[in-house]
Amino acid sequence: MRNAFCLGKGVPPGNMGNAILSVKKKTRLTENLRSKVTVIKSLYIVIGHEVKNQNKLLAEMDSQFDSVTGFQGKTMGKLEILPKGNQTKLLCYRMLFSLFVFFVLLDY
């Protein structure tokens, strides 16, 4: 079809120059579109790599948060056991610690 168009079939004799310009314009527009598609394709690939990296980081963060949650749960379990024990011993430790802090701050 393109060759027939370039040979002048179906084109009035005076418009042969316009037909060639039209083909050149279409070729230029096609090349322009092809370059734009190539740019968009490369951006798509870069975005895909970035999404994979972000998903990997999110998965690592999720596993770290899960481990911290487990550690925090174990610590809270141990702290719940603490008040159930001997209260006088705990009170004595608190008083000794308070006195220690008081004397350390008094020296400064």
Side-chain angles (χ1 to χ4, degrees):
M1 179 74 178
R2 186 173 176 184
N3 291 336
F5 187 76
C6 289
L7 293 175
K9 293 183 180 177
V11 178
N15 292 336
M16 187 63 168
N18 290 339
I20 292 173
L21 288 177
S22 178
V23 169
K24 288 181 180 179
K25 184 177 179 181
K26 287 180 182 179
T27 304
R28 183 176 46 87
L29 290 174
T30 303
E31 290 300 322
N32 189 13
L33 184 61
R34 184 175 290 131
S35 67
K36 288 179 181 179
V37 168
T38 303
V39 169
I40 291 173
K41 184 179 177 182
S42 65
L43 283 174
Y44 175 76
I45 291 170
V46 169
I47 289 172
H49 290 303
E50 186 67 27
V51 166
K52 286 179 185 177
N53 289 336
Q54 294 296 325
N55 283 340
K56 182 177 148 186
L57 289 173
L58 285 173
E60 289 175 6
M61 286 176 54
D62 186 40
S63 66
Q64 289 175 354
F65 282 134
D66 286 342
S67 67
V68 168
T69 303
F71 178 72
Q72 184 181 12
K74 290 177 186 176
T75 304
M76 291 304 293
K78 290 178 183 178
L79 286 176
E80 288 175 0
I81 294 172
L82 188 65
K84 293 179 183 175
N86 194 357
Q87 294 294 333
T88 57
K89 194 180 212 182
L90 184 63
L91 184 61
C92 182
Y93 287 142
R94 286 182 190 166
M95 290 299 295
L96 287 174
F97 178 74
S98 299
L99 287 173
F100 173 75
V101 170
F102 176 74
F103 285 122
V104 168
L105 291 176
L106 187 64
D107 288 339
Y108 286 110

